[in-house]
Amino acid sequence: MGVVAGILVGLVALIHVYILVLEMFLWTTPRGQKAFGLTPEFAEQTKTLGANQGLYNGFLAAGLIWALIASDPVGYQAKIFFLVCVFVAGVYGAATASKKILYVQVAPSVLALAAVFAAS
């Protein structure tokens, strides 16, 4: 189960690296606009906001990557902490921005959390 947990935690980290790229570098491109439902004008006006959001997602990814390479008990504790952060941010985002976040962030974080708990 430890391997499955590691794979799932890694997947959540990769999702957040991808979100970082979308928000920091692709916000004003057709791909970024489609991902977030933005008009070209609104994307241009809010590109600094998007980059800021991307930075936060990068910190989540960095924390999860650190958790994967840190030895226990720190690695285990960091996995729990950062996965709960992703869960809370996802629930808030789903309530305030888009229900799609439930599938993109919340579900993977819950699955990874369950696997981390089961592996311990």
Side-chain angles (χ1 to χ4, degrees):
M1 188 53 102
V3 172
V4 171
I7 290 169
L8 290 173
V9 171
L11 177 64
V12 174
L14 287 175
I15 289 168
H16 283 79
V17 167
Y18 181 64
I19 295 170
L20 172 147
V21 170
L22 281 172
E23 292 176 337
M24 292 190 83
F25 306 111
L26 302 177
W27 188 261
T28 58
T29 68
R31 176 180 237 158
Q33 292 167 27
K34 181 179 179 192
F36 301 107
L38 308 174
T39 64
E41 297 79 22
F42 188 76
E44 190 60 40
Q45 293 169 350
T46 60
K47 66 182 174 183
T48 303
L49 173 69
N52 187 40
Q53 289 177 184
L55 185 62
Y56 284 99
N57 279 291
F59 288 138
L60 291 172
L64 290 167
I65 292 165
W66 169 55
L68 285 171
I69 60 175
S71 58
D72 288 335
V74 172
Y76 174 78
Q77 294 164 343
K79 287 174 192 152
I80 300 302
F81 174 78
F82 284 100
L83 288 169
V84 168
C85 287
V86 169
F87 172 80
V88 171
V91 168
Y92 184 80
T96 60
S98 170
K99 300 290 183 234
K100 180 171 83 169
I101 296 172
L102 288 172
Y103 306 105
V104 175
Q105 285 183 261
V106 175
S109 69
V110 168
L111 291 173
L113 266 172
V116 168
F117 285 136
S120 66

